[in-house]
Amino acid sequence: MKTKGRSISRITSLLAGAITIVVSILVPAGYFLISYQYMMGSLDTQTEISAQALTSLVTANPETWRQDKATLAGVLKSRTAVKVPEARLILDLQGKRIAGSAVSLTPPAVSRRHYIYDAGSPVAQIEITQSL
């Protein structure tokens, strides 16, 4: 009888330990995955909205938009109320910086890019990078 009681106690302890491990790993991993997906969707939306605003600026000033650093900086500073550390850059098609913020982010960080168009052709890209 005592061995049967110890066997049940051992099985119960192993089962409780397994459940504890599963809950302690799956709950934080699930939270991280959901938060990461939300952040990526939000970042993609912000990048697309900024790209559309910059496309409007380029369409209005097709010859001089690259030299208008003040207006470019103003568009880059327009952001949501979320207080997440981020860097915003406007890059040419070769990846050289045209304008942007000089914020240094602590890794890990994620980024999204969208093209800026002029008459249907890409002329630059906007890149937004956020720290996780």
Side-chain angles (χ1 to χ4, degrees), residues 71-126:
T71 305
L72 291 175
V75 172
L76 289 176
K77 286 182 182 176
S78 65
R79 48 187 295 202
T80 61
V82 178
K83 300 295 182 199
V84 177
E86 71 178 23
R88 292 177 176 235
L89 298 172
I90 298 175
L91 308 167
D92 64 11
L93 294 178
Q94 290 75 34
K96 294 180 184 173
R97 181 179 168 175
I98 297 172
S101 59
V103 176
S104 63
L105 301 174
T106 56
V110 293
S111 64
R112 284 286 195 229
R113 284 187 183 183
H114 277 276
Y115 284 110
I116 300 166
Y117 294 94
D118 182 20
S121 299
V123 293
Q125 302 176 68
I126 180 168

Side-chain angles (χ1 to χ4, degrees), residues 31-83:
Y31 176 78
F32 175 78
L33 181 63
I34 291 170
S35 297
Y36 180 79
Q37 290 298 321
Y38 173 78
M39 182 177 161
M40 292 304 290
S42 174
L43 183 60
D44 195 47
T45 302
Q46 289 178 35
T47 308
E48 188 170 346
I49 290 169
S50 295
Q52 289 174 359
L54 288 165
T55 295
S56 298
L57 176 69
V58 169
T59 303
N61 304 311
E63 301 297 324
T64 60
W65 69 271
R66 287 180 189 259
Q67 289 76 31
D68 194 1
K69 303 288 186 193
T71 305
L72 291 175
V75 172
L76 289 176
K77 286 182 182 176
S78 65
R79 48 187 295 202
T80 61
V82 178
K83 300 295 182 199

